[in-house]
Amino acid sequence: MTPFVDISGLCIGYSKRQVLFEDISLQLHCGKITGILGPNGIGKSTLLKTIAGLMPPLKGSVIPQGLPHDRDLCAFVPAQPWRAANFSVEDTVSTGRYRYTNWLGLENPQGKQVIAGVLEKTGISHLAGRNSADLSDGEFHRVAIARALVQDTPLILLDEPTAFLDIANKRSTVMLLKKIAAEENKGILFSTHDLSLAMQHCDLFWIMTPDKKMFCGTPAEMKERGIIDYLL
């Protein structure tokens, strides 16, 4: 069976008086790319952060099944990834390896090979020496994805990874994520408002509706059942 994360009875929000969404019960599978869709303010970012462990659940659980216990569960890429002044692209990506460095913060030769491989895989090897602060949004989003990849987690969670990109960069970013999911058997979960792009490239949809219902299925199933209408 493909490893997965079991999300059961999850209640998300900022406090019991600020509940955004309740009773979320889903499974997130490795090897699949899943898109979270819904209107602004519905709780997409909060759901991602709760699954990532950056926010505590108000109720319910997020439990890995069949996943390694000696690694972090997921890497999280925020909607606007941080850019440190005077950090090269390679340095920025290398910060994702913090848990693998020694007590002096130094990387071993194997780790350097991992970083070099990820730079190549994400198509940014030629940018390795560039100041990350000087990159375009499209270029830097690939740097942020590379930083997540070098963490070597079973899951990668991304908040609006295509929000500020042009059409070509949106497509190439999602195609890269789909390739990573398929070739490395990673679970990719990202929020988006780009329905057309998600319909083309996602294996599954999680749709959060204004009446606080959560639907899960393939894009074709969501269209056939009329669930897509909630997004139009």
Side-chain angles (χ1 to χ4, degrees):
M1 180 181 293
T2 303
F4 65 93
V5 174
D6 187 46
I7 300 166
S8 179
L10 196 65
C11 177
I12 61 172
Y14 303 99
S15 70
K16 291 183 178 180
R17 293 185 179 182
Q18 290 181 291
V19 176
L20 295 179
F21 225 90
E22 295 183 87
D23 199 24
I24 300 172
S25 294
L26 297 164
Q27 290 184 347
L28 176 59
H29 289 268
C30 291
K32 301 287 186 182
I33 178 169
T34 302
I36 306 177
L37 298 99
N40 285 329
I42 197 73
K44 298 186 298 297
S45 297
T46 303
L47 175 57
L48 283 168
K49 291 175 182 177
T50 303
I51 295 172
L54 300 174
M55 292 181 66
L58 301 180
K59 191 170 64 173
S61 60
V62 177
I63 301 175
Q65 303 287 348
L67 292 166
H69 297 290
D70 59 342
R71 286 155 56 189
D72 290 339
L73 176 62
C74 62
F76 179 74
V77 180
Q80 293 182 298
W82 61 270
R83 300 197 194 199
N86 301 318
F87 264 48
S88 70
V89 166
E90 185 173 7
D91 289 339
T92 301
V93 173
S94 297
T95 61
R97 296 283 301 175
Y98 64 91
R99 75 185 296 266
Y100 299 100
T101 58
N102 63 20
W103 64 279
L104 290 174
L106 300 177
E107 182 64 274
N108 59 39
Q110 182 181 358
K112 291 180 179 180
Q113 290 178 358
V114 170
I115 293 167
V118 168
L119 290 174
E120 182 177 356
K121 186 179 303 177
T122 52
I124 56 173
S125 294
H126 64 294
L127 300 175
R130 286 270 304 274
N131 187 331
S132 61
D134 296 335
L135 301 181
S136 69
D137 285 338
E139 291 170 329
F140 192 72
H141 267 282
R142 290 208 165 222
V143 174
I145 292 170
R147 183 180 183 274
L149 270 176
V150 300
Q151 295 176 50
D152 191 27
T153 58
L155 307 178
I156 299 178
L157 278 52
L158 307 97
D159 192 6
E160 294 281 0
T162 64
F164 305 105
L165 306 183
D166 58 33
I167 293 174
N169 275 304
K170 284 184 178 183
R171 184 171 180 273
S172 65
T173 296
V174 177
M175 288 183 68
L176 172 62
L177 294 174
K178 190 174 182 69
K179 182 178 181 182
I180 291 168
E183 294 184 357
E184 301 192 22
N185 198 36
K186 292 184 183 292
I188 305 289
L189 178 66
F190 73 101
S191 60
T192 183
H193 288 284
D194 195 324
L195 177 59
S196 176
L197 193 67
M199 287 290 294
Q200 295 177 54
H201 298 290
C202 286
D203 297 306
L204 292 169
F205 278 173
W206 291 359
I207 296 180
M208 304 172 76
T209 69
D211 55 356
K212 304 300 181 182
K213 294 179 181 177
M214 174 75 83
F215 296 93
C216 176
T218 66
E221 289 170 345
M222 295 293 96
K223 184 176 181 179
E224 184 178 345
R225 293 169 58 190
I227 308 301
I228 294 295
D229 295 344
Y230 282 101
L231 306 172
L232 303 178

